[in-house]
């Protein structure tokens, strides 16, 4: 049954209310609150029963047949919610806005928030990842992008050319999980984002017209950027329906301030996750992340994905690491204090939005508690940034919030004794009344002589006196007991005095809960006034945490301070790939990378498995580490500031769009050639191998010549086309290097050492032998290789190994058989003669073998 098929005039009032709300949220699953459950109906119920593996039932709604329905407990909805969000659905939370006990007729309900991939604020998010939602606004001659992480409040905006490929690269590189687009955008872009990258896309044209959040963009002069910010604000405010004052002033992104690379380079260099398992372990982030806070970890990841080009800022960071390494006792003390700091950025988001609980405030208090010590350490280190310790906020939380407060804020036990005189008075009344109940129980036992008499309480009947069945005859009329409930083994009674005290106690408890809730909200509102200051503190804490992490890694792995130079010279002595070195501690062989004046291209030859790709990645990783402000794995390092990195490493194809390995290879090569500048770094690993040998060799040579003559970018180019090594005589800025190996008695040993000059042998068959291919196959490969290498050999290179005997042997056998068969007439042979004849032939064949 579908909503569109229903006669709404026959529906119950509750279902009519549901459909009126659902009509406003057609593309959204409604969690509709009914008592202690969220219910889903019609198509929503069918989707949820399938996606959440819930039983699909029905509900009477005034129609002849029951409407589809499924439900979940309201107190345990977050797990179900997150499953739907991860699968790309939007979910609207529809709550009861009035108390059913105090409402005559229909309970008022409405959507209080819509939750999507990019608008989650709950604690289910990965604390070490940002969750960005963005607006893509198509002006038909350019695109503007604005994006924010509403859990932390960071907000960014930029303008890019009206180029689909550039737009897609920006969206993917910036890790947007959800985007809002205006209706002018090409529908193919929407399709690619949804189908290829699982990004939630919503089309809206409205922009936010009010001035509530004008502080976000009032300093931006480009009206296009203001438009995309308002476009995004409209969607977020309509979706979240709460206070978002923690959103921070929009930062206009200038790509010239960052070392840029695309998602393929990030993947090829395994900066955030490994290629094979897509896990953080053994990535560069894994190696460098010794942070103590979630804020520091997120900032480190952001810096790895967006290294800097500001030499002054990078040298400032190097200076900080040097201080931390020399003042190692202070560094260790600082890390201990940082370990006590919770995620202030996301705490602020919950404070602003209003979905925090008492434990969030306790986390804030415990974080503020260590700020004075952190401030002292930073002052001793001359760190250069000042932290406001917010003593008044700490004092407020220290005297107000109970240490053992529950997660929910409507159960009481939130506020400490001494914070509110009114609350303390009510608690004293309640406490005195409860003491009276205990005294009443003792008095009634003595008065009645019923030793096991007890006073109990439940939510249905309130307080009662319970007497076991065996003692019922002892209950006399003068006790004034009024029978309330009969059970199998006891009777329950009340008395006028007990009822009076019950009203006092329950009234006091309700007052306590309501007053504690009000006091809690007042405390939250007071802290809201400090949101800006807490955000400034969190930025400093995040940077300090990142820098102490980089210092720790540098100390543990013997990294050195890089020297940034304005000259286009790369001089790295004993450079190492930091992750490979960490995994293979004893076997790692360091290598120099020298590209002085007049050397733009290193053409790298050598056998497979010798370490060409590692050597190339090593340079890119060292550059990225240096440009995030880290020390680097080398004996010494002098490099220029790079603006872009381009890589083509490893074979891959794009099955989704149907592109072959070679097409992907050529597209990535073209992207590098078109975008690279003399200040860029290009890494091409065996470019051209995806097509025929001579085609690939010709393209590789043409690309090398183009880079050499026109781009002049620093380039590492590995190849198995040994003919290309002769280019060094024609291209003055190209040098040949090779990764060495030693061959002894047909066996190969990889030295992993990069040396000057070229090699003319790939040792591919030796590598195949190491991979344990069948010996007969290896021998055949050697025969074919001999044919290729010996030009005077008359044999054809692709001679198929025969599955049969040599031709001359086949001829001899066939001649003998023909002669013998001609000698006999089978019609004249007896059965025994025929058998003897066959036996003779078989014996003859055996003797020939």
């Amino acid at each position: 049954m579908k909503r569109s098929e229903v006669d709404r005039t026959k529906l119950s009032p509750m279902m009519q209310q549901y459909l009126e709300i659902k009509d406003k949220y057609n593309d959204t699953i409604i969690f509709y609150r009914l008592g202690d459950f969220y219910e889903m109906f019609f198509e929503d119920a069918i989707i949820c029963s399938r996606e959440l593996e819930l039983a699909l039932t029905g509900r009477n709604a005034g129609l002849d047949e029951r409407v589809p329905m499924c439900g979940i407990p309201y107190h345990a909805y977050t797990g179900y919610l997150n499953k739907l969000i991860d699968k790309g659905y939007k979910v609207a939370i529809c709550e009861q806005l009035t108390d059913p006990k105090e409402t005559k007729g229909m309970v008022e309900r409405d959507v209080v928030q819509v939750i999507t991939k990019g608008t989650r604020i709950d604690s289910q998010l990965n604390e070490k990842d940002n969750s960005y939602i963005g607006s893509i606004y198509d002006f038909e001659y350019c695109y503007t992008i604005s994006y924010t992480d509403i859990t932390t409040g960071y907000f960014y905006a930029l303008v890019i050319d009206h180029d689909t490929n550039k737009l897609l690269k920006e969206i993917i590189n910036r890790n947007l999980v959800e985007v809002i687009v205006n209706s002018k955008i090409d529908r193919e872009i929407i399709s690619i984002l949804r189908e290829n990258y699982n990004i939630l896309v919503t089309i809206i044209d409205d922009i936010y017209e009010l001035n509530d959040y004008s502080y976000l963009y009032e300093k931006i002069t480009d009206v296009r950027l203001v438009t995309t910010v308002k476009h995004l604000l409209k969607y977020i405010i309509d979706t979240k329906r709460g206070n978002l004052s923690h959103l921070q002033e929009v930062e206009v992104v200038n790509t010239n301030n960052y070392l840029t690379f695309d998602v393929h380079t990030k993947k090829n260099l395994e900066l955030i996750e490994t290629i094979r398992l897509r896990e953080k372990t053994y990535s560069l982030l894994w190696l460098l992340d010794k942070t103590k806070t979630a804020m520091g970890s997120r900032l480190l990841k952001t810096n790895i994905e967006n290294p800097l080009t500001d030499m002054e800022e990078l040298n400032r960071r190097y200076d900080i690491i040097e201080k931390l390494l020399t003042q190692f006792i202070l560094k260790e003390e600082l890390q201990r204090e940082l370990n006590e700091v919770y995620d202030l950025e996301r705490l602020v988001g919950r404070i602003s939005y209003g979905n925090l609980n008492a434990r969030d405030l306790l986390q804030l208090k415990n974080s503020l508690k260590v700020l004075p010590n952190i401030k002292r350490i930073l002052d001793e280190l001359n760190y250069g940034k000042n932290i406001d310790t917010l003593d008044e906020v700490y004092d407020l939380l220290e005297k107000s919030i109970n240490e053992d407060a529950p997660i929910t804020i409507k159960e009481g036990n939130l506020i400490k004794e001494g914070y509110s005189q009114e609350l303390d008075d009510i608690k004293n009344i309640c406490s005195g009344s409860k003491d009276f109940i205990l005294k009443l129980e003792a008095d009634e036992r003595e008065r009645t002589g019923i030793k096991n008499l007890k006073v109990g309480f439940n939510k249905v009947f309130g307080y009662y006196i319970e007497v076991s069945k065996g003692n019922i005859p002892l209950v006399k009329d003068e006790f004034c007991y009024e029978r309330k409930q009969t059970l199998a083994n006891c009777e329950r009674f009340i008395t006028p005095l007990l009822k009076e005290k019950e009203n006092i106690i329950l009234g006091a408890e309700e007052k306590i809960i309501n007053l504690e809730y009000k006091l809690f909200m007042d405390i939250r509102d007071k802290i809201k006034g400090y949101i800006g200051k807490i955000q400034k503190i969190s930025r400093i804490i995040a940077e300090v945490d990142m820098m102490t992490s980089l210092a720790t890694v540098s100390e543990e792995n013997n990294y050195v301070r890089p020297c940034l130079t304005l000259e286009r010279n790369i001089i790295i002595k004993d450079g190492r790939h930091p992750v490979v070195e960490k995994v293979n501690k004893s076997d790692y062989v360091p290598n120099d990378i020298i590209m002085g004046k007049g050397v733009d291209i290193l053409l790298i030859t050598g056998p497979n498995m010798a370490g060409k790709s590692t050597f190339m990645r090593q340079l890119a990783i060292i550059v990225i580490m240096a440009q995030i402000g880290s020390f680097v794995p080398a004996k010494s390092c002098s490099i220029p500031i790079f603006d872009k990195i381009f890589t083509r490493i490893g074979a891959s194809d794009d099955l989704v769009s149907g592109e072959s390995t070679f097409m992907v290879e050529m597209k990535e090569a073209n992207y590098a050639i078109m975008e690279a500048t003399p200040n860029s770094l290009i890494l091409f690993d065996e470019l051209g191998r995806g097509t025929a040998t001579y085609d690939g060799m010709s393209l590789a040579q043409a690309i090398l010549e183009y880079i050499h003559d026109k781009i002049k970018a620093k380039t590492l180019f590995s190849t198995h086309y040994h003919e290309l090594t002769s280019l060094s005589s024609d291209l003055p800025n190209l040098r040949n290097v090779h990764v060495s190996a030693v061959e002894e008695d047909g066996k190969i040993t990889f030295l992993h050492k990069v040396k000057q000059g070229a090699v003319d042998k790939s040792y591919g068959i030796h590598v195949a032998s190491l991979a344990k291919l069948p010996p007969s196959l290896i021998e055949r490969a050697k025969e074919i290789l001999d044919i290729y290498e010996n030009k005077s050999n008359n044999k054809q290179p692709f001679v198929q190994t025969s599955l049969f005997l040599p031709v001359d042997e086949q001829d001899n056998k066939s001649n003998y058989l023909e002669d013998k068969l001609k000698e006999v007439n089978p019609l004249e042979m007896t059965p025994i003669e025929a058998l003897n004849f066959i036996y003779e032939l078989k014996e003859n064949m055996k003797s020939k073998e």
Side-chain angles (χ1 to χ4, degrees), residues 423-475:
L423 179 62
D424 290 346
D425 290 343
I426 300 174
K427 283 184 175 180
N428 288 333
I429 294 171
C430 186
S431 176
S433 298
K434 287 185 176 180
D435 290 341
F436 170 82
I437 294 293
L438 294 173
K439 185 175 183 301
L440 175 68
E441 183 179 80
D443 291 346
E444 288 299 307
R445 284 179 180 177
E446 186 175 342
R447 181 165 76 98
T448 62
I450 302 171
K451 300 301 180 186
N452 64 351
L453 177 149
K454 63 180 182 180
V455 178
F457 173 83
N458 66 36
K459 289 185 177 180
V460 177
F461 294 109
Y463 284 95
Y464 55 80
I465 296 171
E466 185 175 288
V467 180
S468 63
K469 283 286 188 186
N471 288 320
I472 293 298
L474 298 177
V475 177

Side-chain angles (χ1 to χ4, degrees), residues 67-287:
V67 302
M69 183 198 84
C70 65
I72 55 175
Y74 86 95
H75 57 80
Y77 79 97
T78 53
Y80 298 103
L81 170 72
N82 284 310
K83 279 186 182 178
L84 291 173
I85 298 303
D86 290 338
K87 290 174 181 284
Y89 295 99
K90 300 179 182 179
V91 178
I93 307 298
C94 180
E95 290 288 1
Q96 297 174 169
L97 303 182
T98 54
D99 188 341
K101 296 176 184 176
E102 301 174 358
T103 304
K104 291 182 180 180
M106 195 65 170
V107 174
E108 185 181 348
R109 295 181 180 86
D110 202 357
V111 170
V112 295
Q113 66 168 318
V114 178
I115 303 169
T116 65
K117 271 189 175 183
T119 60
R120 279 191 281 191
I121 298 184
D122 58 62
S123 57
Q124 301 295 317
L125 288 168
N126 185 335
E127 65 173 11
K128 296 195 172 185
D129 284 336
N130 286 107
S131 180
Y132 288 120
I133 179 172
S135 157
I136 314 300
Y137 208 92
D138 188 349
F139 283 96
E140 298 183 297
Y141 65 93
C142 74
Y143 296 110
T144 54
I145 303 174
S146 63
Y147 60 101
T148 182
D149 179 347
I150 65 169
T151 67
T152 64
Y154 292 122
F155 215 132
Y156 307 92
L158 66 154
V159 180
I160 64 170
D161 297 336
H162 201 267
D163 181 301
T164 299
N165 288 329
K166 284 187 179 180
L167 175 64
L168 291 172
K169 286 180 187 295
E170 287 291 345
I171 295 170
I172 305 309
N173 288 351
R174 296 182 187 281
N175 299 317
L176 304 189
V177 297
E178 180 178 1
V179 296
I180 320 305
V181 299
N182 64 331
S183 56
K184 291 181 181 179
I185 202 160
D186 186 344
R187 292 302 185 271
E188 185 182 352
I189 294 173
I190 296 174
S191 177
I192 291 171
L193 292 175
R194 285 174 175 167
E195 295 172 15
N196 293 15
Y197 298 102
N198 193 30
I199 293 174
L200 181 63
V201 183
T202 304
I203 304 172
I204 61 169
D205 285 320
D206 296 340
I207 64 173
Y208 193 65
E209 300 290 358
L210 302 178
N211 293 320
D212 313 33
Y213 295 93
S214 59
Y215 73 91
L216 291 170
Y217 50 80
E218 61 188 2
K219 294 180 182 176
I220 300 176
T221 56
D222 190 330
V223 69
R224 298 171 301 178
L225 292 177
V226 173
T227 300
T228 186
V229 170
K230 287 183 174 181
H231 185 231
L232 183 53
L233 275 176
K234 174 66 176 173
Y235 179 80
I236 294 173
I237 291 167
D238 287 352
T239 300
K240 295 312 292 178
R241 297 193 169 198
N243 188 304
L244 297 171
S245 59
H246 69 291
L247 293 178
Q248 301 183 48
E249 186 178 319
V250 176
E251 178 185 330
V252 178
V253 177
N254 182 351
T255 54
N256 293 330
N257 294 336
Y258 301 95
L259 166 62
T260 60
F261 41 77
D262 65 9
V263 67
H264 301 295
T265 296
K266 185 166 73 173
K267 175 183 171 184
N268 289 334
L269 297 177
E270 298 185 309
L271 299 181
I272 305 302
E273 61 184 19
T274 57
I275 295 173
R276 178 172 294 183
L277 299 178
R278 302 198 68 179
E279 293 179 349
K280 177 183 173 182
T281 304
Y282 303 130
S283 67
L284 180 63
L285 176 60
W286 163 80
L287 177 75

Side-chain angles (χ1 to χ4, degrees), residues 730-787:
D730 299 320
L731 305 178
N733 294 335
L734 181 147
R735 297 288 183 276
N736 285 313
V737 296
H738 69 277
V739 187
S740 57
V742 174
E743 182 185 0
E744 292 180 359
D745 300 326
K747 293 184 178 180
I748 187 170
T749 302
F750 300 116
L751 301 180
H752 303 295
K753 198 69 179 175
V754 177
K755 298 181 178 179
Q756 297 296 317
V759 292
D760 58 1
K761 198 171 185 180
S762 290
Y763 300 100
I765 293 175
H766 297 81
V767 174
S769 180
L770 291 175
K772 305 296 184 184
L773 267 66
S776 59
L777 187 154
I778 298 295
E779 289 304 315
R780 176 59 180 159
K782 288 179 180 178
E783 290 175 11
I784 296 171
L785 181 61
D786 286 340
I787 294 169

Side-chain angles (χ1 to χ4, degrees), residues 3 23 26 36 117 145 222 317 321 360 403 453 468 515 545 577 579 644 648 685 709 735 756 797 812 830:
R3 284 185 298 130
D23 289 342
N26 269 316
D36 289 340
K117 271 189 175 183
I145 303 174
D222 190 330
R317 292 185 179 185
I321 292 176
D360 291 328
E403 299 294 342
L453 177 149
S468 63
L515 181 55
D545 192 20
H577 188 298
V579 178
K644 300 172 186 175
R648 173 60 205 174
D685 188 16
D709 296 338
R735 297 288 183 276
Q756 297 296 317
N812 290 338
T830 64

